[in-house]
Amino acid sequence: MDQQRGFVHKVFINNYIRTDRSHGFRALIVMEDHSLLLLQQGAIVWSREDGLASIIDVTTSELPVEKAGVSVAKVELNLFEWLKGHVLKLKGTLMLATPEDIAAIQYMRLKSSEKSKMTRDHNGFRKLLIALTRAGKLFALHTGDGRIVWSHLLQSLHKSESCRQPIGLNLHQWQVPHHHALDENPSVLVVGRCGPSSDALGVLSLVDSYTGKEFSSLRLVHSVAQVIPLPYTDSTEQRLHLLIDADKHAHLYPKTPEAIDIFQSEFSNVYWYSVDDDNGIIKGYALKTKCSGNVADEFCFDSRELWSIVLPSESEKIITTATRKLNEAVHTQAKLIADQDVMYKYISSNLLFVATVAPKASGEIGSVTPEESWLVVYLIDTVTGRVLHRMTHHGSQGPVQAVLSENWVVYHYFNLRAHRYEMSVIEIYDQSRADNKDVWKLVVGNHNLTSPVSSYSRAEVITKSQSYFFTHSLKAIAVTLTVKGITSKQLLIGTIGDQVLALDKRFLDPRRSVNPTQAEREEGIIPLTDSLPIIPQSYITHSLRVEGLQSIITVAAKLESTTLVFAHGLDLFFTHYAPSRTYDSLTEDFSYALLLITIVALVAAIFVTWILSQRKELQDRWR
């Protein structure tokens, strides 16, 4: 058996009668990595990687750059396969191929197709999806055809006497080397701990993204309650990470002198927060000094509490939080509205969305009356603890699914009074830059658009909100992500029917009205309706179902118009999606021959017209 499957977890034995009336046995084996094997007559008949049905976290990795030229050894090694492939293609052309030959031809075509190459493409469609499963196994899936490039059962998440109950937590980008500067493979950081409690000791693993080799693993002497990827890298392009333990000590990784030098220069700009769901407490922290109890460790830092928000436990219980993605790009802060007016988005990476419900309403839908239930939502600045916006939905309860992007948040809940699901949107705008509407100020330079933005300055914000009825309950919600943030946003909604529905963000515009003006119609404002439309053609899964849908992940491609969508549950689903259509690329059925013929005809027409014009001009002069 493959050693990457771990130990045997369970065995199910079944007896059967052979054709010669003798008794045989089959064994269905469940391995430690949750894979299934059918063993019959001393051989493995088939195997299934059912561990992919319990994915915990997913990240992406770029494929290597395609190098020019092919080595002679590689050509000689594949010479026989090259000849065999041409013979099979010739037999297929002459209609002499057997069914086995046809299957071999199809396999060769699939293997040599552009989308299944192990090199990156100029559009950024070919990537590796690195998935961590509940069994502690890493998988690398190719986005072209979904095949498993490699799989590795992590030794750091293997049961041992020192770590009785290891569990994986999440994945982070550890090293993303620039292909023009460094000749190293990218790597990912796997974070786990030896037990379900937050005070259990942590474990770290560094895994090569191209080979799956675990080149470093570390048993920590402290717990891991939170992982904060920092926006700083060292000379080898390793990303700095802060690991927060249960005692609120911050530990810096990687533990190198260069990393500590970089971190010291940004020491005063590091903030983080914690959310205690059970007690309804949200706290903000900053770094103070090096750990006093552990002087020898210069990579450990004490924290100081900056602020705290204590929600009354008798009236509110935290059920959902949401933040912006760290890699989300915002194209512009200004939003041009009707009548040529300008509104400035409140763009902050420190914005936190919190949803609370009445304690009685934290159960199943319909377990309380509308009078006993309410939903309260907050927008909080996590650096200062300032509540930027608070809103109450009376007669509503969870579960709440929310997504935060740019300056807006969309959340889904149940309205007990209307007996229907609802989706609400909140948009937040910065009023401190509202006086930058004078063109002369922009020309002369008397504006504050380039002035630094600080969370400690008093935020002058306004909010706009609106609620709409929605037909389905949700399992997951995400938003499309593009490389520059120019393409219009769409919400990707995982429905109760295990499908993914794309909903244009314009339907969730809080400025919608029953009778929009002509200027608002030109801007793209849709007339107001009480419910959100569900267009059957907007299901990006089409007629397929992603059984047991758990999460939807979006990844930006290099092509601005396209986002990559990965949905996982019991099934895995991947697709390319263009929210505003492929406005920056040609379609696959584009006729290049017709374009070439048109260009040649135009050049010929220009040449003939030039000759005729010269002749006519000469004749006119002779007259």
Side-chain angles (χ1 to χ4, degrees):
M1 290 184 184
D2 186 3
Q3 296 299 321
Q4 290 301 323
R5 299 187 184 276
F7 298 114
V8 174
H9 186 59
K10 286 184 180 179
V11 178
F12 301 91
I13 298 179
N14 169 253
N15 65 323
Y16 66 99
I17 300 177
R18 298 191 183 100
T19 55
D20 59 355
R21 293 297 178 180
S22 62
H23 289 275
F25 295 91
R26 299 187 187 99
L28 182 65
I29 304 174
V30 183
M31 302 299 294
E32 186 181 359
D33 66 341
H34 295 176
S35 60
L36 294 181
L37 306 174
L38 183 64
L39 187 66
Q40 181 175 331
Q41 295 179 353
I44 298 175
V45 181
W46 55 258
S47 62
R48 285 169 45 121
E49 295 288 354
D50 277 11
L52 287 169
S54 58
I55 292 178
I56 298 174
D57 197 9
V58 178
T59 188
T60 59
S61 176
E62 292 287 349
L63 287 166
V65 179
E66 186 173 5
K67 297 181 180 179
V70 181
S71 64
V72 178
K74 185 175 181 182
V75 173
E76 292 177 352
L77 183 65
N78 296 333
L79 183 60
F80 177 74
E81 295 292 334
W82 181 81
L83 291 174
K84 180 181 177 182
H86 277 69
V87 171
L88 287 175
K89 289 178 181 179
L90 181 61
K91 291 176 67 177
T93 305
L94 299 177
M95 303 182 69
L96 300 175
T98 62
E100 292 79 9
D101 293 338
I102 294 175
I105 293 171
Q106 291 177 348
Y107 174 74
M108 291 174 59
R109 287 176 178 173
L110 182 63
K111 188 177 180 180
S112 62
S113 65
E114 284 290 325
K115 69 176 184 178
S116 60
K117 281 186 175 181
M118 279 300 295
T119 55
R120 68 181 70 178
D121 59 322
H122 65 281
N123 287 330
F125 292 164
R126 293 199 296 264
K127 296 180 185 291
L128 286 180
L129 292 171
I130 313 295
L132 174 65
T133 65
R134 190 176 293 114
K137 191 172 184 178
L138 269 184
F139 289 89
L141 308 175
H142 195 289
T143 58
D145 52 7
R147 71 180 185 274
I148 299 175
V149 179
W150 55 261
S151 60
H152 183 75
L153 187 62
L154 299 175
Q155 293 298 320
S156 59
L157 297 180
H158 198 276
K159 292 182 181 179
S160 63
E161 293 186 3
S162 59
C163 191
R164 297 282 182 160
Q165 194 177 357
I167 59 171
L169 296 179
N170 41 42
L171 291 170
H172 298 278
Q173 297 283 352
W174 177 257
Q175 186 179 26
V176 186
H178 196 276
H179 63 275
H180 292 302
L182 297 174
D183 192 17
E184 295 183 15
N185 293 349
S187 56
V188 294
L189 171 67
V190 184
V191 183
R193 59 186 175 210
C194 296
S197 61
S198 60
D199 57 352
L201 297 181
V203 292
L204 300 181
S205 291
L206 298 179
V207 181
D208 191 307
S209 298
Y210 291 167
T211 63
K213 180 181 178 182
E214 186 179 7
F215 58 85
S216 178
S217 61
L218 181 64
R219 301 275 184 184
L220 304 180
V221 295
H222 58 82
S223 59
V224 178
Q226 194 174 353
V227 181
I228 304 174
L230 300 175
Y232 318 119
T233 56
D234 59 13
S235 59
T236 61
E237 299 198 28
Q238 289 184 347
R239 190 168 186 175
L240 273 62
H241 291 74
L242 270 185
L243 272 60
I244 313 300
D245 61 20
D247 298 325
K248 303 306 177 187
H249 295 304
H251 303 266
L252 178 65
Y253 290 88
K255 291 188 174 185
T256 60
E258 184 185 1
I260 196 68
D261 291 340
I262 297 172
F263 184 69
Q264 289 287 1
S265 62
E266 301 292 340
F267 186 83
S268 60
N269 295 325
V270 178
Y271 300 87
W272 76 91
Y273 67 93
S274 65
V275 179
D276 187 352
D277 298 345
D278 298 330
N279 299 317
I281 301 175
I282 308 171
K283 293 183 179 181
Y285 301 91
L287 298 177
K288 187 170 59 175
T289 56
K290 292 186 178 180
C291 293
S292 57
N294 192 0
V295 183
D297 189 1
E298 62 174 341
F299 301 95
C300 176
F301 301 89
D302 284 330
S303 63
R304 56 190 175 95
E305 183 180 322
L306 296 178
W307 55 267
S308 64
I309 298 175
V310 181
L311 302 174
S313 58
E314 64 275 3
S315 61
E316 295 185 44
K317 177 179 175 56
I318 299 175
I319 58 170
T320 301
T321 60
T323 56
R324 277 184 57 195
K325 284 188 175 181
L326 297 176
N327 59 344
E328 183 186 27
V330 180
H331 177 59
T332 178
Q333 186 184 7
K335 180 179 181 180
L336 185 65
I337 61 176
D339 302 327
Q340 302 303 312
D341 198 3
V342 179
M343 298 182 70
Y344 292 94
K345 304 173 185 177
Y346 182 80
I347 305 297
S348 174
S349 58
N350 303 315
L351 199 61
L352 172 66
F353 170 81
V354 179
T356 67
V357 295
K360 292 183 179 180
S362 59
E364 296 291 333
I365 294 176
S367 58
V368 292
T369 62
E371 291 75 17
E372 298 175 322
S373 179
W374 55 82
L375 171 69
V376 186
V377 297
Y378 299 86
L379 289 177
I380 301 172
D381 189 298
T382 57
V383 173
T384 61
R386 184 179 294 119
V387 178
L388 301 176
H389 182 69
R390 181 182 184 273
M391 186 165 62
T392 304
H393 299 272
H394 294 283
S396 300
Q397 72 172 117
V400 175
Q401 298 284 348
V403 62
L404 181 60
S405 175
E406 292 190 357
N407 68 319
W408 51 266
V409 59
V410 172
Y411 52 100
H412 176 275
Y413 56 94
F414 189 78
N415 189 328
L416 290 171
R417 297 183 187 275
H419 302 286
R420 298 174 70 178
Y421 288 99
E422 280 189 4
M423 290 185 73
S424 294
V425 58
I426 301 174
E427 291 185 357
I428 183 168
Y429 294 93
D430 189 358
Q431 283 294 94
S432 63
R433 303 177 186 270
D435 58 343
N436 296 316
K437 300 175 183 178
D438 191 351
V439 177
W440 289 109
K441 282 187 176 182
L442 297 175
V443 172
V444 178
N446 296 329
H447 58 80
N448 63 347
L449 289 178
T450 57
S451 61
V453 178
S454 174
S455 291
Y456 284 103
S457 60
R458 184 66 183 178
E460 299 177 14
V461 298
I462 61 171
T463 58
K464 296 180 179 294
S465 60
Q466 186 67 270
S467 298
Y468 304 91
F469 290 121
F470 191 67
T471 305
H472 294 297
S473 62
L474 303 188
K475 285 188 171 183
I477 185 170
V479 64
T480 55
L481 189 68
T482 54
V483 65
K484 298 293 184 182
I486 302 173
T487 308
S488 60
K489 300 283 187 179
Q490 290 203 10
L491 295 171
L492 301 178
I493 299 170
T495 65
I496 193 66
D498 291 330
Q499 291 184 302
V500 180
L501 171 69
L503 181 65
D504 199 322
K505 170 61 175 60
R506 293 186 302 162
F507 288 109
L508 284 153
D509 193 329
R511 295 172 51 240
R512 288 178 63 184
S513 59
V514 178
N515 295 312
T517 63
Q518 183 62 29
E520 290 177 337
R521 290 180 182 272
E522 293 176 358
E523 183 192 343
I525 300 295
I526 302 173
L528 179 64
T529 55
D530 61 346
S531 61
L532 296 172
I534 296 179
I535 305 171
Q537 292 81 3
S538 297
Y539 284 97
I540 66 174
T541 49
H542 306 292
S543 60
L544 302 175
R545 294 181 60 186
V546 187
E547 293 290 342
L549 178 64
Q550 295 178 1
S551 178
I552 302 172
I553 293 111
T554 56
V555 182
K558 291 182 181 179
L559 200 64
E560 169 58 28
S561 64
T562 307
T563 182
L564 311 180
V565 182
F566 177 65
H568 65 86
L570 296 179
D571 294 335
L572 306 180
F573 175 82
F574 178 82
T575 188
H576 305 161
Y577 183 63
S580 301
R581 300 187 182 276
T582 52
Y583 58 84
D584 54 356
S585 63
L586 299 175
T587 58
E588 294 180 357
D589 57 350
F590 182 80
S591 178
Y592 293 93
L594 181 60
L595 176 62
L596 183 62
I597 292 172
T598 304
I599 293 174
V600 172
L602 286 175
V603 171
I606 291 172
F607 184 72
V608 171
T609 306
W610 178 73
I611 294 176
L612 295 176
S613 176
Q614 291 289 331
R615 289 182 178 179
K616 187 176 183 300
E617 184 179 355
L618 182 61
Q619 291 176 359
D620 291 342
R621 287 185 178 182
W622 275 106
R623 290 177 184 175

